[in-house]
mmCIF file of all heavy atoms in Angstrom:
data_model
loop_
_atom_site.group_PDB
_atom_site.id
_atom_site.type_symbol
_atom_site.label_atom_id
_atom_site.label_comp_id
_atom_site.label_asym_id
_atom_site.label_seq_id
_atom_site.Cartn_x
_atom_site.Cartn_y
_atom_site.Cartn_z
ATOM 1 N N MET A 22 148.737 100.668 93.061
ATOM 2 C CA MET A 22 147.910 100.403 94.198
ATOM 3 C C MET A 22 146.480 100.135 93.722
ATOM 4 O O MET A 22 145.916 100.891 92.948
ATOM 5 C CB MET A 22 147.952 101.589 95.143
ATOM 6 C CG MET A 22 147.192 101.411 96.386
ATOM 7 S SD MET A 22 147.488 102.915 97.346
ATOM 8 C CE MET A 22 146.825 102.504 98.862
ATOM 9 N N GLU A 23 145.882 99.032 94.199
ATOM 10 C CA GLU A 23 144.527 98.674 93.796
ATOM 11 C C GLU A 23 143.499 99.447 94.607
ATOM 12 O O GLU A 23 143.693 99.712 95.784
ATOM 13 C CB GLU A 23 144.305 97.184 93.985
ATOM 14 C CG GLU A 23 145.139 96.340 93.060
ATOM 15 C CD GLU A 23 144.832 94.866 93.227
ATOM 16 O OE1 GLU A 23 143.682 94.530 93.532
ATOM 17 O OE2 GLU A 23 145.750 94.074 93.055
ATOM 18 N N ALA A 24 142.403 99.777 93.938
ATOM 19 C CA ALA A 24 141.310 100.466 94.633
ATOM 20 C C ALA A 24 140.582 99.477 95.542
ATOM 21 O O ALA A 24 140.436 98.303 95.206
ATOM 22 C CB ALA A 24 140.338 101.050 93.616
ATOM 23 N N HIS A 25 140.132 99.953 96.668
ATOM 24 C CA HIS A 25 139.394 99.120 97.612
ATOM 25 C C HIS A 25 137.967 98.919 97.116
ATOM 26 O O HIS A 25 137.263 99.878 96.822
ATOM 27 C CB HIS A 25 139.376 99.776 98.994
ATOM 28 C CG HIS A 25 138.519 99.057 99.977
ATOM 29 N ND1 HIS A 25 138.891 97.853 100.515
ATOM 30 C CD2 HIS A 25 137.312 99.357 100.492
ATOM 31 C CE1 HIS A 25 137.931 97.446 101.340
ATOM 32 N NE2 HIS A 25 136.961 98.349 101.345
ATOM 33 N N VAL A 26 137.550 97.649 96.988
ATOM 34 C CA VAL A 26 136.182 97.329 96.599
ATOM 35 C C VAL A 26 135.473 96.821 97.845
ATOM 36 O O VAL A 26 135.863 95.795 98.408
ATOM 37 C CB VAL A 26 136.149 96.258 95.490
ATOM 38 C CG1 VAL A 26 134.719 95.890 95.146
ATOM 39 C CG2 VAL A 26 136.897 96.747 94.264
ATOM 40 N N PRO A 27 134.420 97.528 98.296
ATOM 41 C CA PRO A 27 133.746 97.102 99.530
ATOM 42 C C PRO A 27 132.974 95.795 99.329
ATOM 43 O O PRO A 27 132.502 95.502 98.240
ATOM 44 C CB PRO A 27 132.787 98.249 99.828
ATOM 45 C CG PRO A 27 132.532 98.884 98.509
ATOM 46 C CD PRO A 27 133.808 98.711 97.724
ATOM 47 N N THR A 28 132.869 95.029 100.388
ATOM 48 C CA THR A 28 132.029 93.832 100.398
ATOM 49 C C THR A 28 130.848 94.109 101.316
ATOM 50 O O THR A 28 131.027 94.518 102.458
ATOM 51 C CB THR A 28 132.802 92.608 100.908
ATOM 52 O OG1 THR A 28 133.921 92.382 100.052
ATOM 53 C CG2 THR A 28 131.923 91.374 100.931
ATOM 54 N N THR A 29 129.645 93.908 100.788
ATOM 55 C CA THR A 29 128.426 94.156 101.552
ATOM 56 C C THR A 29 127.772 92.829 101.890
ATOM 57 O O THR A 29 127.623 91.961 101.032
ATOM 58 C CB THR A 29 127.444 95.022 100.734
ATOM 59 O OG1 THR A 29 128.103 96.224 100.338
ATOM 60 C CG2 THR A 29 126.201 95.358 101.540
ATOM 61 N N LEU A 30 127.387 92.687 103.137
ATOM 62 C CA LEU A 30 126.703 91.488 103.601
ATOM 63 C C LEU A 30 125.203 91.651 103.385
ATOM 64 O O LEU A 30 124.620 92.657 103.795
ATOM 65 C CB LEU A 30 126.988 91.286 105.091
ATOM 66 C CG LEU A 30 126.393 90.057 105.743
ATOM 67 C CD1 LEU A 30 127.051 88.808 105.196
ATOM 68 C CD2 LEU A 30 126.576 90.145 107.241
ATOM 69 N N VAL A 31 124.579 90.676 102.704
ATOM 70 C CA VAL A 31 123.134 90.697 102.482
ATOM 71 C C VAL A 31 122.533 89.505 103.208
ATOM 72 O O VAL A 31 122.905 88.365 102.958
ATOM 73 C CB VAL A 31 122.776 90.642 100.986
ATOM 74 C CG1 VAL A 31 121.264 90.564 100.790
ATOM 75 C CG2 VAL A 31 123.337 91.843 100.256
ATOM 76 N N TRP A 32 121.618 89.787 104.115
ATOM 77 C CA TRP A 32 120.974 88.761 104.916
ATOM 78 C C TRP A 32 119.649 88.404 104.258
ATOM 79 O O TRP A 32 118.733 89.220 104.182
ATOM 80 C CB TRP A 32 120.753 89.292 106.325
ATOM 81 C CG TRP A 32 120.036 88.390 107.268
ATOM 82 C CD1 TRP A 32 119.820 87.053 107.147
ATOM 83 C CD2 TRP A 32 119.432 88.772 108.497
ATOM 84 N NE1 TRP A 32 119.129 86.579 108.224
ATOM 85 C CE2 TRP A 32 118.874 87.624 109.077
ATOM 86 C CE3 TRP A 32 119.320 89.987 109.176
ATOM 87 C CZ2 TRP A 32 118.217 87.637 110.282
ATOM 88 C CZ3 TRP A 32 118.666 89.992 110.382
ATOM 89 C CH2 TRP A 32 118.129 88.829 110.927
ATOM 90 N N PHE A 33 119.552 87.170 103.759
ATOM 91 C CA PHE A 33 118.307 86.664 103.183
ATOM 92 C C PHE A 33 117.468 86.127 104.331
ATOM 93 O O PHE A 33 117.658 85.004 104.791
ATOM 94 C CB PHE A 33 118.585 85.554 102.162
ATOM 95 C CG PHE A 33 119.296 86.038 100.935
ATOM 96 C CD1 PHE A 33 120.676 85.961 100.837
ATOM 97 C CD2 PHE A 33 118.581 86.557 99.875
ATOM 98 C CE1 PHE A 33 121.328 86.401 99.699
ATOM 99 C CE2 PHE A 33 119.225 86.993 98.728
ATOM 100 C CZ PHE A 33 120.599 86.921 98.647
ATOM 101 N N ARG A 34 116.520 86.919 104.812
ATOM 102 C CA ARG A 34 115.746 86.541 105.998
ATOM 103 C C ARG A 34 114.606 85.585 105.693
ATOM 104 O O ARG A 34 114.368 84.645 106.441
ATOM 105 C CB ARG A 34 115.178 87.785 106.660
ATOM 106 C CG ARG A 34 116.250 88.629 107.280
ATOM 107 C CD ARG A 34 115.719 89.868 107.885
ATOM 108 N NE ARG A 34 114.498 89.628 108.648
ATOM 109 C CZ ARG A 34 113.872 90.542 109.328
ATOM 110 N NH1 ARG A 34 114.326 91.761 109.336
ATOM 111 N NH2 ARG A 34 112.786 90.267 109.996
ATOM 112 N N ASP A 35 113.855 85.838 104.635
ATOM 113 C CA ASP A 35 112.652 85.054 104.381
ATOM 114 C C ASP A 35 112.759 84.113 103.187
ATOM 115 O O ASP A 35 112.112 83.082 103.153
ATOM 116 C CB ASP A 35 111.451 85.980 104.176
ATOM 117 C CG ASP A 35 111.182 86.836 105.402
ATOM 118 O OD1 ASP A 35 111.278 86.300 106.520
ATOM 119 O OD2 ASP A 35 110.893 88.023 105.236
ATOM 120 N N ASP A 36 113.517 84.476 102.210
ATOM 121 C CA ASP A 36 113.658 83.636 101.024
ATOM 122 C C ASP A 36 114.927 84.025 100.274
ATOM 123 O O ASP A 36 115.632 84.935 100.673
ATOM 124 C CB ASP A 36 112.434 83.740 100.117
ATOM 125 C CG ASP A 36 112.147 85.162 99.667
ATOM 126 O OD1 ASP A 36 113.113 85.899 99.387
ATOM 127 O OD2 ASP A 36 110.977 85.541 99.577
ATOM 128 N N LEU A 37 115.179 83.329 99.197
ATOM 129 C CA LEU A 37 116.401 83.578 98.424
ATOM 130 C C LEU A 37 116.121 84.288 97.102
ATOM 131 O O LEU A 37 116.799 84.044 96.111
ATOM 132 C CB LEU A 37 117.121 82.251 98.152
ATOM 133 C CG LEU A 37 117.711 81.591 99.383
ATOM 134 C CD1 LEU A 37 118.227 80.197 99.035
ATOM 135 C CD2 LEU A 37 118.829 82.430 99.956
ATOM 136 N N ARG A 38 115.139 85.174 97.083
ATOM 137 C CA ARG A 38 114.841 85.910 95.849
ATOM 138 C C ARG A 38 116.071 86.716 95.422
ATOM 139 O O ARG A 38 116.625 87.462 96.212
ATOM 140 C CB ARG A 38 113.676 86.872 96.047
ATOM 141 C CG ARG A 38 112.348 86.224 96.224
ATOM 142 C CD ARG A 38 111.266 87.260 96.467
ATOM 143 N NE ARG A 38 111.653 88.147 97.557
ATOM 144 C CZ ARG A 38 111.593 89.470 97.506
ATOM 145 N NH1 ARG A 38 111.157 90.077 96.443
ATOM 146 N NH2 ARG A 38 111.964 90.198 98.531
ATOM 147 N N VAL A 39 116.437 86.564 94.178
ATOM 148 C CA VAL A 39 117.565 87.362 93.685
ATOM 149 C C VAL A 39 117.160 88.262 92.530
ATOM 150 O O VAL A 39 117.847 89.235 92.240
ATOM 151 C CB VAL A 39 118.760 86.467 93.271
ATOM 152 C CG1 VAL A 39 119.342 85.767 94.472
ATOM 153 C CG2 VAL A 39 118.370 85.466 92.209
ATOM 154 N N THR A 40 116.040 87.977 91.883
ATOM 155 C CA THR A 40 115.656 88.779 90.724
ATOM 156 C C THR A 40 114.946 90.075 91.083
ATOM 157 O O THR A 40 114.989 91.024 90.317
ATOM 158 C CB THR A 40 114.754 87.977 89.764
ATOM 159 O OG1 THR A 40 113.606 87.524 90.484
ATOM 160 C CG2 THR A 40 115.510 86.788 89.193
ATOM 161 N N ASP A 41 114.283 90.128 92.234
ATOM 162 C CA ASP A 41 113.561 91.344 92.606
ATOM 163 C C ASP A 41 113.848 91.720 94.057
ATOM 164 O O ASP A 41 112.952 92.063 94.808
ATOM 165 C CB ASP A 41 112.060 91.178 92.374
ATOM 166 C CG ASP A 41 111.448 90.073 93.226
ATOM 167 O OD1 ASP A 41 112.198 89.247 93.781
ATOM 168 O OD2 ASP A 41 110.218 90.039 93.344
ATOM 169 N N ASN A 42 115.094 91.668 94.432
ATOM 170 C CA ASN A 42 115.492 91.950 95.804
ATOM 171 C C ASN A 42 116.229 93.295 95.840
ATOM 172 O O ASN A 42 117.383 93.386 95.422
ATOM 173 C CB ASN A 42 116.398 90.829 96.315
ATOM 174 C CG ASN A 42 116.704 90.948 97.781
ATOM 175 O OD1 ASN A 42 116.923 92.039 98.284
ATOM 176 N ND2 ASN A 42 116.746 89.818 98.457
ATOM 177 N N PRO A 43 115.579 94.362 96.326
ATOM 178 C CA PRO A 43 116.198 95.692 96.321
ATOM 179 C C PRO A 43 117.502 95.759 97.124
ATOM 180 O O PRO A 43 118.443 96.425 96.717
ATOM 181 C CB PRO A 43 115.153 96.602 96.941
ATOM 182 C CG PRO A 43 113.882 95.844 96.973
ATOM 183 C CD PRO A 43 114.216 94.386 96.872
ATOM 184 N N ALA A 44 117.564 95.059 98.253
ATOM 185 C CA ALA A 44 118.787 95.098 99.064
ATOM 186 C C ALA A 44 119.952 94.456 98.314
ATOM 187 O O ALA A 44 121.078 94.965 98.334
ATOM 188 C CB ALA A 44 118.557 94.385 100.393
ATOM 189 N N LEU A 45 119.684 93.354 97.635
ATOM 190 C CA LEU A 45 120.732 92.684 96.866
ATOM 191 C C LEU A 45 121.182 93.545 95.688
ATOM 192 O O LEU A 45 122.386 93.659 95.414
ATOM 193 C CB LEU A 45 120.241 91.324 96.389
ATOM 194 C CG LEU A 45 121.231 90.483 95.602
ATOM 195 C CD1 LEU A 45 122.479 90.184 96.416
ATOM 196 C CD2 LEU A 45 120.560 89.194 95.147
ATOM 197 N N SER A 46 120.235 94.166 95.004
ATOM 198 C CA SER A 46 120.577 95.057 93.886
ATOM 199 C C SER A 46 121.448 96.214 94.356
ATOM 200 O O SER A 46 122.441 96.564 93.715
ATOM 201 C CB SER A 46 119.316 95.601 93.230
ATOM 202 O OG SER A 46 118.577 94.566 92.653
ATOM 203 N N TRP A 47 121.077 96.810 95.483
ATOM 204 C CA TRP A 47 121.852 97.929 96.020
ATOM 205 C C TRP A 47 123.261 97.479 96.383
ATOM 206 O O TRP A 47 124.241 98.139 96.048
ATOM 207 C CB TRP A 47 121.150 98.507 97.244
ATOM 208 C CG TRP A 47 121.893 99.626 97.871
ATOM 209 C CD1 TRP A 47 121.859 100.945 97.496
ATOM 210 C CD2 TRP A 47 122.808 99.548 98.963
ATOM 211 N NE1 TRP A 47 122.690 101.680 98.300
ATOM 212 C CE2 TRP A 47 123.298 100.846 99.219
ATOM 213 C CE3 TRP A 47 123.264 98.505 99.757
ATOM 214 C CZ2 TRP A 47 124.210 101.123 100.218
ATOM 215 C CZ3 TRP A 47 124.175 98.784 100.762
ATOM 216 C CH2 TRP A 47 124.632 100.081 100.981
ATOM 217 N N ALA A 48 123.365 96.338 97.051
ATOM 218 C CA ALA A 48 124.678 95.834 97.457
ATOM 219 C C ALA A 48 125.550 95.539 96.238
ATOM 220 O O ALA A 48 126.736 95.875 96.219
ATOM 221 C CB ALA A 48 124.516 94.581 98.312
ATOM 222 N N ALA A 49 124.965 94.934 95.224
ATOM 223 C CA ALA A 49 125.728 94.595 94.018
ATOM 224 C C ALA A 49 126.220 95.839 93.289
ATOM 225 O O ALA A 49 127.278 95.825 92.662
ATOM 226 C CB ALA A 49 124.878 93.739 93.090
ATOM 227 N N SER A 50 125.468 96.935 93.394
ATOM 228 C CA SER A 50 125.895 98.171 92.731
ATOM 229 C C SER A 50 127.096 98.807 93.425
ATOM 230 O O SER A 50 127.769 99.644 92.838
ATOM 231 C CB SER A 50 124.729 99.173 92.684
ATOM 232 O OG SER A 50 124.470 99.714 93.965
ATOM 233 N N ARG A 51 127.364 98.417 94.656
ATOM 234 C CA ARG A 51 128.475 98.983 95.429
ATOM 235 C C ARG A 51 129.769 98.197 95.293
ATOM 236 O O ARG A 51 130.838 98.702 95.580
ATOM 237 C CB ARG A 51 128.111 99.041 96.907
ATOM 238 C CG ARG A 51 126.918 99.937 97.161
ATOM 239 C CD ARG A 51 126.712 100.182 98.614
ATOM 240 N NE ARG A 51 127.804 101.016 99.113
ATOM 241 C CZ ARG A 51 128.490 100.775 100.220
ATOM 242 N NH1 ARG A 51 128.215 99.739 100.968
ATOM 243 N NH2 ARG A 51 129.443 101.584 100.602
ATOM 244 N N GLY A 52 129.677 96.903 94.940
ATOM 245 C CA GLY A 52 130.885 96.078 94.857
ATOM 246 C C GLY A 52 130.573 94.621 95.137
ATOM 247 O O GLY A 52 129.549 94.105 94.716
ATOM 248 N N GLU A 53 131.449 93.981 95.875
ATOM 249 C CA GLU A 53 131.298 92.560 96.186
ATOM 250 C C GLU A 53 130.126 92.345 97.144
ATOM 251 O O GLU A 53 129.832 93.201 97.965
ATOM 252 C CB GLU A 53 132.571 92.021 96.835
ATOM 253 C CG GLU A 53 133.801 92.118 95.958
ATOM 254 C CD GLU A 53 133.747 91.160 94.784
ATOM 255 O OE1 GLU A 53 133.226 90.039 94.943
ATOM 256 O OE2 GLU A 53 134.227 91.533 93.709
ATOM 257 N N VAL A 54 129.484 91.157 97.033
ATOM 258 C CA VAL A 54 128.351 90.820 97.893
ATOM 259 C C VAL A 54 128.596 89.455 98.526
ATOM 260 O O VAL A 54 129.023 88.519 97.858
ATOM 261 C CB VAL A 54 127.034 90.763 97.091
ATOM 262 C CG1 VAL A 54 125.871 90.353 97.988
ATOM 263 C CG2 VAL A 54 126.748 92.093 96.430
ATOM 264 N N ALA A 55 128.324 89.364 99.815
ATOM 265 C CA ALA A 55 128.343 88.085 100.527
ATOM 266 C C ALA A 55 126.933 87.859 101.052
ATOM 267 O O ALA A 55 126.419 88.654 101.830
ATOM 268 C CB ALA A 55 129.347 88.112 101.669
ATOM 269 N N GLY A 56 126.280 86.797 100.594
ATOM 270 C CA GLY A 56 124.927 86.498 101.022
ATOM 271 C C GLY A 56 124.914 85.524 102.186
ATOM 272 O O GLY A 56 125.724 84.608 102.243
ATOM 273 N N VAL A 57 123.977 85.738 103.113
ATOM 274 C CA VAL A 57 123.861 84.878 104.290
ATOM 275 C C VAL A 57 122.407 84.464 104.470
ATOM 276 O O VAL A 57 121.501 85.295 104.390
ATOM 277 C CB VAL A 57 124.323 85.615 105.564
ATOM 278 C CG1 VAL A 57 124.067 84.778 106.803
ATOM 279 C CG2 VAL A 57 125.791 85.982 105.465
ATOM 280 N N LEU A 58 122.193 83.172 104.699
ATOM 281 C CA LEU A 58 120.878 82.652 105.058
ATOM 282 C C LEU A 58 121.072 81.737 106.249
ATOM 283 O O LEU A 58 121.873 80.807 106.196
ATOM 284 C CB LEU A 58 120.255 81.866 103.905
ATOM 285 C CG LEU A 58 118.952 81.137 104.243
ATOM 286 C CD1 LEU A 58 117.826 82.138 104.464
ATOM 287 C CD2 LEU A 58 118.595 80.154 103.168
ATOM 288 N N ILE A 59 120.361 82.007 107.325
ATOM 289 C CA ILE A 59 120.447 81.171 108.519
ATOM 290 C C ILE A 59 119.166 80.354 108.580
ATOM 291 O O ILE A 59 118.079 80.896 108.750
ATOM 292 C CB ILE A 59 120.628 82.019 109.796
ATOM 293 C CG1 ILE A 59 121.920 82.817 109.680
ATOM 294 C CG2 ILE A 59 120.620 81.130 111.036
ATOM 295 C CD1 ILE A 59 122.114 83.840 110.761
ATOM 296 N N ASP A 60 119.297 79.037 108.428
ATOM 297 C CA ASP A 60 118.147 78.142 108.454
ATOM 298 C C ASP A 60 117.963 77.645 109.878
ATOM 299 O O ASP A 60 118.735 76.833 110.369
ATOM 300 C CB ASP A 60 118.388 76.973 107.501
ATOM 301 C CG ASP A 60 117.161 76.100 107.341
ATOM 302 O OD1 ASP A 60 116.165 76.309 108.063
ATOM 303 O OD2 ASP A 60 117.207 75.201 106.490
ATOM 304 N N GLU A 61 116.930 78.159 110.537
ATOM 305 C CA GLU A 61 116.700 77.820 111.933
ATOM 306 C C GLU A 61 115.638 76.737 112.121
ATOM 307 O O GLU A 61 115.242 76.453 113.241
ATOM 308 C CB GLU A 61 116.302 79.069 112.712
ATOM 309 C CG GLU A 61 117.404 80.086 112.760
ATOM 310 C CD GLU A 61 117.031 81.289 113.587
ATOM 311 O OE1 GLU A 61 115.951 81.862 113.352
ATOM 312 O OE2 GLU A 61 117.835 81.646 114.458
ATOM 313 N N ARG A 62 115.212 76.125 111.007
ATOM 314 C CA ARG A 62 114.257 75.030 111.142
ATOM 315 C C ARG A 62 114.935 73.846 111.828
ATOM 316 O O ARG A 62 116.136 73.643 111.680
ATOM 317 C CB ARG A 62 113.771 74.570 109.776
ATOM 318 C CG ARG A 62 112.965 75.603 109.035
ATOM 319 C CD ARG A 62 112.601 75.110 107.667
ATOM 320 N NE ARG A 62 113.839 74.907 106.914
ATOM 321 C CZ ARG A 62 113.905 74.291 105.745
ATOM 322 N NH1 ARG A 62 112.841 73.806 105.181
ATOM 323 N NH2 ARG A 62 115.043 74.159 105.111
ATOM 324 N N PRO A 63 114.166 73.035 112.548
ATOM 325 C CA PRO A 63 114.754 71.833 113.129
ATOM 326 C C PRO A 63 115.341 70.952 112.032
ATOM 327 O O PRO A 63 114.832 70.928 110.912
ATOM 328 C CB PRO A 63 113.559 71.133 113.787
ATOM 329 C CG PRO A 63 112.528 72.184 113.964
ATOM 330 C CD PRO A 63 112.748 73.186 112.871
ATOM 331 N N ARG A 64 116.400 70.272 112.321
ATOM 332 C CA ARG A 64 117.097 69.452 111.328
ATOM 333 C C ARG A 64 116.157 68.476 110.622
ATOM 334 O O ARG A 64 116.278 68.233 109.430
ATOM 335 C CB ARG A 64 118.233 68.687 111.989
ATOM 336 C CG ARG A 64 119.245 68.159 111.000
ATOM 337 C CD ARG A 64 120.328 67.430 111.743
ATOM 338 N NE ARG A 64 121.704 67.624 111.529
ATOM 339 C CZ ARG A 64 122.377 68.220 110.597
ATOM 340 N NH1 ARG A 64 121.761 68.863 109.675
ATOM 341 N NH2 ARG A 64 123.677 68.257 110.546
ATOM 342 N N SER A 65 115.195 67.927 111.334
ATOM 343 C CA SER A 65 114.271 66.955 110.748
ATOM 344 C C SER A 65 113.362 67.571 109.689
ATOM 345 O O SER A 65 112.800 66.861 108.870
ATOM 346 C CB SER A 65 113.414 66.321 111.841
ATOM 347 O OG SER A 65 112.634 67.309 112.485
ATOM 348 N N ARG A 66 113.211 68.887 109.681
ATOM 349 C CA ARG A 66 112.341 69.560 108.710
ATOM 350 C C ARG A 66 113.089 70.041 107.484
ATOM 351 O O ARG A 66 112.497 70.564 106.559
ATOM 352 C CB ARG A 66 111.653 70.744 109.380
ATOM 353 C CG ARG A 66 110.871 70.278 110.587
ATOM 354 C CD ARG A 66 109.584 70.878 110.795
ATOM 355 N NE ARG A 66 108.976 71.387 109.591
ATOM 356 C CZ ARG A 66 107.850 72.055 109.604
ATOM 357 N NH1 ARG A 66 107.253 72.284 110.725
ATOM 358 N NH2 ARG A 66 107.325 72.509 108.492
ATOM 359 N N ARG A 67 114.392 69.873 107.448
ATOM 360 C CA ARG A 67 115.203 70.309 106.302
ATOM 361 C C ARG A 67 115.244 69.184 105.281
ATOM 362 O O ARG A 67 116.069 68.295 105.355
ATOM 363 C CB ARG A 67 116.609 70.657 106.749
ATOM 364 C CG ARG A 67 116.650 71.803 107.701
ATOM 365 C CD ARG A 67 118.054 72.097 108.103
ATOM 366 N NE ARG A 67 118.039 72.882 109.328
ATOM 367 C CZ ARG A 67 119.101 73.139 110.032
ATOM 368 N NH1 ARG A 67 120.271 72.691 109.670
ATOM 369 N NH2 ARG A 67 119.005 73.853 111.130
ATOM 370 N N THR A 68 114.373 69.261 104.306
ATOM 371 C CA THR A 68 114.270 68.167 103.353
ATOM 372 C C THR A 68 114.575 68.581 101.923
ATOM 373 O O THR A 68 114.538 67.755 101.034
ATOM 374 C CB THR A 68 112.855 67.555 103.392
ATOM 375 O OG1 THR A 68 111.911 68.588 103.116
ATOM 376 C CG2 THR A 68 112.574 66.941 104.749
ATOM 377 N N ALA A 69 114.853 69.835 101.704
ATOM 378 C CA ALA A 69 115.149 70.303 100.348
ATOM 379 C C ALA A 69 116.490 69.743 99.896
ATOM 380 O O ALA A 69 117.424 69.618 100.666
ATOM 381 C CB ALA A 69 115.182 71.820 100.314
ATOM 382 N N THR A 70 116.587 69.376 98.632
ATOM 383 C CA THR A 70 117.827 68.860 98.076
ATOM 384 C C THR A 70 118.467 69.932 97.206
ATOM 385 O O THR A 70 117.812 70.516 96.348
ATOM 386 C CB THR A 70 117.569 67.599 97.232
ATOM 387 O OG1 THR A 70 116.938 66.635 98.054
ATOM 388 C CG2 THR A 70 118.856 67.036 96.681
ATOM 389 N N SER A 71 119.734 70.162 97.410
ATOM 390 C CA SER A 71 120.459 71.135 96.617
ATOM 391 C C SER A 71 120.658 70.591 95.210
ATOM 392 O O SER A 71 121.167 69.491 95.035
ATOM 393 C CB SER A 71 121.802 71.419 97.271
ATOM 394 O OG SER A 71 122.632 72.117 96.384
ATOM 395 N N LYS A 72 120.276 71.363 94.187
ATOM 396 C CA LYS A 72 120.480 70.938 92.806
ATOM 397 C C LYS A 72 121.959 70.928 92.445
ATOM 398 O O LYS A 72 122.393 70.143 91.621
ATOM 399 C CB LYS A 72 119.724 71.859 91.864
ATOM 400 C CG LYS A 72 118.227 71.704 91.972
ATOM 401 C CD LYS A 72 117.517 72.633 91.021
ATOM 402 C CE LYS A 72 116.024 72.486 91.190
ATOM 403 N NZ LYS A 72 115.288 73.386 90.327
ATOM 404 N N ALA A 73 122.719 71.806 93.070
ATOM 405 C CA ALA A 73 124.150 71.912 92.748
ATOM 406 C C ALA A 73 124.940 70.713 93.269
ATOM 407 O O ALA A 73 125.813 70.202 92.582
ATOM 408 C CB ALA A 73 124.731 73.198 93.313
ATOM 409 N N THR A 74 124.638 70.252 94.481
ATOM 410 C CA THR A 74 125.441 69.185 95.072
ATOM 411 C C THR A 74 124.699 67.869 95.218
ATOM 412 O O THR A 74 125.312 66.834 95.418
ATOM 413 C CB THR A 74 125.935 69.594 96.480
ATOM 414 O OG1 THR A 74 124.798 69.762 97.317
ATOM 415 C CG2 THR A 74 126.748 70.872 96.433
ATOM 416 N N GLY A 75 123.358 67.910 95.155
ATOM 417 C CA GLY A 75 122.580 66.700 95.355
ATOM 418 C C GLY A 75 122.449 66.322 96.818
ATOM 419 O O GLY A 75 121.885 65.292 97.144
ATOM 420 N N ARG A 76 122.963 67.154 97.709
ATOM 421 C CA ARG A 76 122.894 66.883 99.145
ATOM 422 C C ARG A 76 121.665 67.518 99.754
ATOM 423 O O ARG A 76 121.171 68.530 99.274
ATOM 424 C CB ARG A 76 124.129 67.426 99.847
ATOM 425 C CG ARG A 76 125.377 66.653 99.525
ATOM 426 C CD ARG A 76 126.490 67.142 100.385
ATOM 427 N NE ARG A 76 127.397 67.874 99.526
ATOM 428 C CZ ARG A 76 128.330 68.700 99.937
ATOM 429 N NH1 ARG A 76 128.489 68.924 101.194
ATOM 430 N NH2 ARG A 76 129.110 69.304 99.094
ATOM 431 N N VAL A 77 121.194 66.934 100.824
ATOM 432 C CA VAL A 77 120.085 67.515 101.576
ATOM 433 C C VAL A 77 120.598 68.744 102.298
ATOM 434 O O VAL A 77 121.651 68.700 102.931
ATOM 435 C CB VAL A 77 119.494 66.501 102.579
ATOM 436 C CG1 VAL A 77 118.448 67.164 103.443
ATOM 437 C CG2 VAL A 77 118.914 65.313 101.831
ATOM 438 N N VAL A 78 119.865 69.842 102.176
ATOM 439 C CA VAL A 78 120.264 71.091 102.842
ATOM 440 C C VAL A 78 119.223 71.522 103.838
ATOM 441 O O VAL A 78 118.097 71.163 103.766
ATOM 442 C CB VAL A 78 120.535 72.225 101.831
ATOM 443 C CG1 VAL A 78 121.755 71.910 101.007
ATOM 444 C CG2 VAL A 78 119.345 72.461 100.932
#
């Protein structure tokens, strides 16, 4: 029987800092992490390009 590994949801409210984010560090110490960022800017203001996909995000 496998041990249950909890998944913790981390809400990135203001930015995507991962190197100095206490909530993310705490969540990672407990097990799996699912990160969430909700971009509520109007679609016309979303001009950043994702380096991973090359798509506008």
Side-chain angles (χ1 to χ4, degrees):
M22 183 177 190
E23 293 183 32
H25 174 73
V26 177
T28 300
T29 304
L30 182 68
V31 176
W32 177 17
F33 293 95
R34 291 178 44 177
D35 299 319
D36 58 39
L37 292 172
R38 290 178 308 131
V39 294
T40 57
D41 62 345
N42 188 320
L45 182 60
S46 296
W47 178 84
S50 73
R51 298 190 69 227
E53 299 290 324
V54 178
V57 174
L58 173 70
I59 299 171
D60 187 353
E61 295 183 309
R62 294 176 297 169
R64 197 180 228 347
S65 62
R66 303 220 25 185
R67 297 180 199 170
T68 57
T70 302
S71 167
K72 291 180 182 178
T74 64
R76 290 187 251 164
V77 174
V78 293

